[in-house]
Amino acid sequence: MCRIGAIKSLNYVHPSTALHLMNSQQKGHDNSGFAMVMQDLGGIFADYKDKPTLSLACTDEGLQITEEILGVLGFRQVFQWAPETNWKPGMDIKKMPNYVFRTFDYPDYCRDMSQRDKEELLTNTRLRIRAALEKDETGFVYSFWPDVITLKEIGDPRDIGTFFGLWEPDESFTARTITAQCRQNTNYAIVRYAAHPFFLQGYVTLTNGENTFYQKNKEFQSTLHPGYLGFESDSQCFLYTMHYMHRRLGWPLQYYKHIITPLPFEEVVKREDKEELLAIRQSLAHLEINGPNTIIGTLPDFTMWVVCDAKKLRPIVVGRTEDTVVFSSEVCGINEILPGRDWESDIYPNEREIVVVDNNLEVQRWKQ
Amino acid sequence: METVKINDLACNDLPWKVIYDTKRCTLCGSCVSACSFGAIKPKVERRRKSFSDTETPEPKISFSATPVITQVNILKHFCRGCGVCERVCPNSAIRSERNPDSRFNVVYQATTASGPKRGGRNNLEVQARTLDTLRVGRISQMTDPSLDAERHTFDCLAPLGRVLPAQNLPFTLGPDGKLTKTGQTPPLNWIYPIIIGDMSIGALSWRMWEAVSMAVAYLNEECGLPVRQCSGEGGMPVRLLKSKYLKYVILQIASGHFGWNRIIKAMPHMVEDPAGVLIKIGQGAKPGDGGLLMAAKVASHIQSIRGVPKSDLLSPPNHQGLYSIEESVQKMFLSFNAAFKFRVPVAIKVAASATSVSVFNNLVRDPYNIVGGFFLDGIDGGTGAAHDISLDHTGHPVVSKLRDCYQAACAQGRQGQIPLWAAGGLGKTGNLAADAFKMFCLGANGVFTGKLMLQLAGCLGNEHSRCNACNTGLCPAGITTQEPLLVKRLNPDKVAENIVNYFLGVDKELRKLMAPIGNSSLPVGRSDCLISTDKAVADRLQVQYVC
């Protein structure tokens, strides 16, 4: 089983907190990888919130290919950060030659572009880089988006943390929203793209579980958007469904639950909004999910949410203090990083609710 | 001595031979009176017996007249092998036996200048069924738990009606963050994923039709299973049209439009909408042929419902006045949608064919969004009457074609927009749940079944040419006849009970298949949970090959 965790704070948080959150649950995962997405960045990236940052792991050749693509498109680099890596013999990490975190200014021709068009340009650029790097496996591009950094690596998360120097907290590399997971894909081939969290246009999801409607989700999604690709993990479907519903259809977050785990017919017919709910179920029958899972996600505005499958087959706990909310598969993770919290107010989300945390850390429980 | 008259019809030319044992027969006459085909008759044979009644052999000859039962060698009365004689004989003195050396097909056509007609089903299939090479092989364990078939809740419903793509739903987002439907969407009903298929009130005896209707009403009202039945082409009793039970019936219109005069006249008096309208374009058992009801079955109540004289009722192979699919969509679908004020889903039934995907593509791309279901009927479906040659030599299996249609929809991102319903030999081996489940996994939203209902009623026919006399009006089980004496052999209450019980069993078995794959709703399109032991089948259907 996976273990997943997420931190949302009023303060900027260093990734070491995420490592501690996940490390305490290590008996539950297999220490086969570490992946995290940081949003709402602080530290050295705080001044570049409106500019896209590229998160890339690649070979020298992959770097050259990427630079060429970005150069041709007119992106101008304004900032870069390369983590100081610290490799020692015996470390369990399948490291890449380069880890690239670079922030760019938009090309000149974007000046009059709508925000939406700029966002499409960023996505198309990322997809173009991805396709170019895929040919000889010269690299992996995880995100190219403002205020977002993605790091994924294969190996023991403790060694990965040491390798990237993430165990020592500092002020320079921080974020208010961090989602993390400590396991490589186990159902399918181990590839970096298959590690949660997944990112697309500001949307993030990570999952503890399995999606047995993977195939029908995938068949349906693969025609909906050029960014719905890869499908290296069945959990990517959860991200694409959220993106499709929230960004493409413009439906509010609360309808996500109605799409992925619709209410039984016998309950729907008693509802006032039964017409809408039935229409949603009919039209998006191929986005329904099955199987055990807990899904944590964030929206482009950094709202953080969590839902469970319709039978609540996987665990999740939400714990909080005045300035921080933590989602964790196991309560021991929260105990580790929020030891002084009032644990009686922890929330154990049920199979029919969405727990949502906004940027003021107001926690809401929405019943489906 | 008899002269050999080689061109006369002999019993050993016929497909079935009647085997009779004089010694066991008590001449009770049950077999003769029970044989609805008149295939046996009593006659007197002259028997020669030599005997000796003295102490030393002094052979004598005596002749006697012995009454016996004998097979009739008249083409019109050939034995169908139904076995009713054997059923009624108290002494096991008579039975029919398949004649492997039958010359029937040759003799029949040479005599009548026409090929034989019959009802029932395709009798040529001898190879293993495709569905039987498939298994549900993706079992949830460890990574995802199986569900509990007894205690978990399962949603076993299927859509009938046109489904709009999500971006076309007429939703308005309110200030409260709620979506509200502010426009019209095509009518859609969620129903049980197994429809009792279109068998008309002319094809079936009134008792059989009544039994199906009773079973459907009971399943809905007492068992909570929203099973629908399709009327078949031939209308319905007006009393039923005006009753609340109409909501359980999908009205069919085929090229003969039989029964629709009554239906239209009853419309102002309807208290419920029908469950749907099904436009029959083709039938899997005899693709390219229209419906056929032989004069022998056009009893007075059929004449009354259909408004016809007692004669062979042939529906044309095509709907008259329709010359293209675009026109059919505009004219026919729109008419029927309008007739019920866009409250009733209108679907189409076509025979599986090499061209089915083209038809499906045309419908799924129609800009009016008014085609509410694509019913695909395969070669193994049944029929009340057809030319033997159509039954055995025309048609297309449903499994790969259903898969093709589903994959065509997927390729266009239109899966689910026109629900796919499949039929044609499903439940042939007696397990409809398994067949239905596998069809769901291959992309069907639901299935429909007809012949199996007749088997449940006691039909004596089978795929090996037994009986198959549904066209004659002489059905020995009282199922497909309008002959009062024969109809009375059928106990409609018992038949309804059998159907209800069967459906209750199917419902349990569907859960028993959904549970191990960890699904609480129908696994439509989940071909990943199927495996095949046949490489060719696996490749064709794109499921995992296993060995």
Side-chain angles (χ1 to χ4, degrees):
Chain A
M1 210 194 310
C2 278
R3 294 294 184 275
I4 52 176
I7 303 164
K8 187 160 179 59
S9 179
L10 297 176
N11 312 313
Y12 288 107
V13 177
H14 186 262
S16 57
T17 314
L19 278 170
H20 285 294
L21 169 68
M22 300 316 295
N23 197 40
S24 60
Q25 304 174 59
Q26 61 152 313
K27 283 181 183 163
H29 56 73
D30 62 358
N31 293 312
S32 58
F34 178 70
M36 68 169 177
V37 174
M38 297 166 67
Q39 293 167 286
D40 196 358
L41 303 173
I44 51 175
F45 287 96
D47 296 334
Y48 304 100
K49 279 183 171 288
D50 59 339
K51 294 186 170 47
T53 297
L54 180 73
S55 298
L56 171 73
C58 60
T59 62
D60 293 344
E61 192 191 349
L63 185 58
Q64 198 182 342
I65 293 169
T66 306
E67 284 171 344
E68 270 174 29
I69 291 173
L70 289 165
V72 168
L73 288 169
F75 283 98
R76 292 188 308 273
Q77 187 177 314
V78 292
F79 181 71
Q80 79 164 327
W81 176 70
E84 273 183 38
T85 54
N86 178 24
W87 191 80
K88 290 177 193 159
M91 270 188 170
D92 176 11
I93 175 170
K94 290 198 169 56
K95 61 188 172 67
M96 292 290 290
N98 301 295
Y99 295 93
V100 177
F101 301 93
R102 293 185 183 177
T103 307
F104 292 83
D105 211 343
Y106 288 98
D108 290 340
Y109 56 81
C110 293
R111 201 174 303 141
D112 299 326
M113 264 190 187
S114 67
Q115 183 60 23
R116 193 95 173 175
D117 286 345
K118 279 188 195 168
E119 291 172 356
E120 293 308 314
L121 175 69
L122 295 181
T123 304
N124 291 337
T125 305
R126 178 178 62 80
L127 295 177
R128 199 163 149 183
I129 296 170
R130 176 175 170 148
L133 300 182
E134 255 171 2
K135 274 178 205 154
D136 299 317
E137 281 220 338
T138 52
F140 302 88
V141 55
Y142 302 118
S143 58
F144 184 38
W145 200 257
D147 221 8
V148 172
I149 278 180
T150 306
L151 177 71
K152 297 188 180 187
E153 205 40 271
I154 300 169
D156 187 317
R158 290 163 295 199
D159 289 346
I160 294 170
T162 306
F163 179 75
F164 287 108
L166 294 178
W167 284 108
E168 291 304 317
D170 64 42
E171 301 285 318
S172 64
F173 189 52
T174 55
R176 285 200 189 104
T177 299
I178 301 178
T179 46
Q181 190 260 147
C182 280
R183 193 192 197 194
Q184 259 297 335
N185 195 16
T186 46
N187 286 7
Y188 304 95
I190 292 183
V191 289
R192 286 171 175 80
Y193 282 130
H196 324 215
F198 306 111
F199 177 86
L200 177 64
Q201 296 194 323
Y203 296 87
V204 173
T205 65
L206 59 164
T207 308
N208 168 15
E210 175 147 346
N211 176 14
T212 56
F213 268 0
Y214 167 58
Q215 189 186 11
K216 57 190 284 188
N217 285 179
K218 175 182 158 182
E219 284 174 348
F220 188 65
Q221 290 169 334
S222 49
T223 60
L224 290 176
H225 188 277
Y228 301 168
L229 82 172
F231 295 99
E232 293 89 354
S233 158
D234 53 6
S235 299
Q236 279 162 319
C237 299
F238 304 133
L239 172 71
Y240 300 153
T241 295
M242 172 55 84
H243 177 271
Y244 179 67
M245 180 206 78
H246 200 259
R247 184 177 167 97
R248 301 290 301 275
L249 297 177
W251 295 357
L253 176 59
Q254 68 194 78
Y255 289 95
Y256 187 61
K257 189 74 178 145
H258 288 296
I259 293 173
I260 62 169
T261 57
L263 290 169
F265 287 102
E266 57 189 40
E267 286 182 41
V268 167
V269 294
K270 295 176 196 159
R271 302 256 303 208
E272 273 183 13
D273 54 352
K274 67 176 175 189
E275 280 205 51
E276 288 79 12
L277 297 187
L278 282 174
I280 290 169
R281 182 165 195 175
Q282 284 150 207
S283 293
L284 295 174
H286 287 78
L287 295 183
E288 187 182 335
I289 63 166
N290 250 297
N293 46 65
T294 291
I295 309 163
I296 296 174
T298 62
L299 301 182
D301 67 358
F302 311 128
T303 298
M304 193 178 275
W305 50 269
V306 63
V307 294
C308 299
D309 67 85
K311 293 186 165 54
K312 177 72 198 225
L313 295 167
R314 288 286 157 95
I316 187 76
V317 196
V318 180
R320 58 199 153 142
T321 60
E322 283 295 308
D323 59 3
T324 305
V325 178
V326 177
F327 293 4
S328 175
S329 293
E330 291 184 45
V331 74
C332 62
I334 307 179
N335 292 344
E336 179 80 16
I337 61 171
L338 299 179
R341 80 188 188 289
D342 172 15
W343 57 268
E344 286 185 353
S345 66
D346 286 355
I347 298 169
Y348 289 78
N350 67 40
E351 70 276 15
R352 285 295 169 204
E353 68 181 350
I354 307 182
V355 175
V356 184
V357 185
D358 67 13
N359 290 335
N360 299 319
L361 297 197
E362 187 183 345
V363 179
Q364 296 183 45
R365 304 177 72 169
W366 296 345
K367 191 170 184 303
Q368 185 180 4
Chain B
M1 251 180 83
E2 293 267 345
T3 310
V4 177
K5 292 177 183 165
I6 202 74
N7 293 114
D8 282 0
L9 187 73
C11 286
N12 61 9
D13 290 330
L14 300 178
W16 294 83
K17 282 184 182 175
V18 173
I19 312 297
Y20 170 70
D21 185 348
T22 320
K23 292 198 289 286
R24 302 186 71 95
C25 179
T26 60
L27 295 169
C28 70
S30 298
C31 55
V32 175
S33 64
C35 178
S36 54
F37 305 107
I40 46 178
K41 66 175 184 187
K43 77 166 189 181
V44 175
E45 287 178 350
R46 180 173 181 248
R47 298 283 171 87
R48 176 181 184 272
K49 187 179 175 188
S50 77
F51 66 99
S52 175
D53 55 3
T54 53
E55 284 181 7
T56 55
E58 290 176 30
K60 296 174 192 166
I61 304 295
S62 78
F63 288 89
S64 60
T66 305
V68 294
I69 307 298
T70 188
Q71 185 172 3
V72 173
N73 60 346
I74 299 171
L75 212 46
K76 192 181 167 194
H77 295 292
F78 73 92
C79 172
R80 316 281 175 142
C82 71
V84 161
C85 52
E86 189 178 356
R87 279 178 176 248
V88 295
C89 179
N91 275 13
S92 304
I94 192 166
R95 64 191 160 86
S96 49
E97 202 171 84
R98 184 175 281 109
N99 177 10
D101 303 312
S102 162
R103 297 175 65 240
F104 180 72
N105 282 354
V106 176
V107 170
Y108 189 94
Q109 195 149 329
T111 308
T112 64
S114 164
K117 297 180 190 64
R118 61 180 170 82
R121 71 283 280 161
N122 165 18
N123 282 162
L124 281 188
E125 290 295 328
V126 285
Q127 71 266 42
R129 296 187 325 144
T130 302
L131 289 174
D132 291 336
T133 71
L134 296 170
R135 296 284 187 281
V136 179
R138 187 246 175 252
I139 305 303
S140 294
Q141 49 191 341
M142 301 290 285
T143 58
D144 65 315
S146 296
L147 301 178
D148 186 327
E150 294 297 322
R151 282 178 286 271
H152 273 127
T153 50
F154 293 85
D155 263 350
C156 296
L157 296 182
L160 175 62
R162 179 67 184 225
V163 173
L164 291 183
Q167 66 270 22
N168 294 355
L169 287 174
F171 281 171
T172 308
L173 184 58
D176 57 353
K178 291 205 165 171
L179 297 170
T180 313
K181 204 177 121 190
T182 47
Q184 178 81 10
T185 51
L188 185 142
N189 297 326
W190 284 93
I191 59 177
Y192 201 70
I194 301 172
I195 292 175
I196 298 184
D198 17 342
M199 297 174 290
S200 77
I201 201 164
L204 301 185
S205 68
W206 69 88
R207 279 196 171 191
M208 183 62 203
W209 210 86
E210 181 189 12
V212 172
S213 299
M214 281 196 291
V216 167
Y218 192 91
L219 284 166
N220 276 278
E221 308 223 334
E222 299 295 329
C223 309
L225 295 188
V227 177
R228 300 291 177 260
Q229 77 172 107
C230 177
S231 67
E233 185 195 16
M236 278 173 52
V238 172
R239 194 163 54 88
L240 208 49
L241 286 169
K242 294 178 183 173
S243 78
K244 67 171 182 172
Y245 300 106
L246 180 63
K247 64 186 172 195
Y248 305 140
V249 182
I250 296 165
L251 295 173
Q252 182 173 97
I253 181 157
S255 55
H257 298 187
F258 290 123
W260 274 81
N261 191 30
R262 291 290 180 102
I263 293 173
I264 289 165
K265 281 182 177 163
M267 274 184 188
H269 309 288
M270 286 179 182
V271 293
E272 290 279 357
D273 284 328
V277 174
L278 185 61
I279 301 172
K280 177 192 161 189
I281 300 290
Q283 185 176 349
K286 46 174 178 178
D289 258 356
L292 171 60
L293 188 68
M294 309 293 277
K297 291 171 77 170
V298 186
S300 58
H301 65 284
I302 308 297
Q303 294 171 36
S304 161
I305 290 173
R306 301 192 181 195
V308 292
K310 189 173 180 67
S311 63
D312 283 356
L313 303 180
L314 287 93
S315 299
N318 289 307
H319 285 265
Q320 303 303 295
L322 298 183
Y323 59 83
S324 74
I325 190 159
E326 287 79 10
E327 200 207 19
S328 86
V329 167
Q330 288 175 33
K331 193 194 268 184
M332 202 146 181
F333 282 86
L334 208 51
S335 305
F336 281 98
N337 272 288
F340 290 99
K341 297 189 169 55
F342 294 87
R343 292 190 310 256
V344 174
V346 181
I348 182 176
K349 174 180 155 184
V350 296
S353 146
T355 59
S356 299
V357 173
S358 310
V359 178
F360 177 71
N361 278 342
N362 270 282
L363 296 174
V364 85
R365 294 172 192 163
D366 102 77
Y368 309 101
N369 296 320
I370 50 178
V371 180
F374 192 69
F375 285 59
L376 198 58
D377 193 15
I379 191 172
D380 278 349
T383 180
H387 290 261
D388 192 62
I389 195 165
S390 299
L391 271 169
D392 279 353
H393 297 284
T394 61
H396 190 301
V398 72
V399 181
S400 65
K401 199 45 67 179
L402 177 277
R403 185 83 180 129
D404 290 347
C405 287
Y406 181 73
Q407 286 175 330
C410 287
Q412 301 166 69
R414 290 176 176 277
Q415 54 268 60
Q417 292 183 17
I418 295 186
L420 286 166
W421 290 76
L426 304 182
K428 197 172 175 179
T429 54
N431 197 322
L432 181 58
D435 288 357
F437 191 86
K438 292 169 187 174
M439 293 304 279
F440 301 153
C441 293
L442 293 170
N445 291 90
V447 300
F448 51 112
T449 177
K451 210 167 52 202
L452 181 62
M453 299 302 108
L454 310 192
Q455 308 292 136
L456 291 170
C459 169
L460 301 165
N462 64 20
E463 275 73 21
H464 308 290
S465 76
R466 192 182 191 211
C467 201
N468 288 196
C470 328
N471 61 318
T472 59
L474 298 170
C475 170
I479 297 168
T480 61
T481 173
Q482 307 298 346
E483 198 64 47
L485 277 176
L486 295 173
V487 174
K488 279 178 184 156
R489 291 182 182 178
L490 195 74
N491 177 348
D493 294 318
K494 181 62 188 158
V495 174
E497 186 184 326
N498 288 355
I499 294 174
V500 166
N501 283 338
Y502 191 83
F503 265 87
L504 294 177
V506 163
D507 195 51
K508 274 187 197 157
E509 288 186 325
L510 282 180
R511 287 155 203 258
K512 283 299 288 178
L513 289 173
M514 285 161 76
I517 63 164
N519 275 25
S520 52
S521 53
L522 292 179
V524 177
R526 267 206 71 188
S527 54
D528 61 304
C529 72
L530 293 183
I531 53 171
S532 179
T533 49
D534 183 311
K535 182 78 169 71
V537 168
D539 290 347
R540 181 70 179 79
L541 301 178
Q542 292 184 24
V543 302
Q544 200 179 131
Y545 166 64
V546 296
C547 55

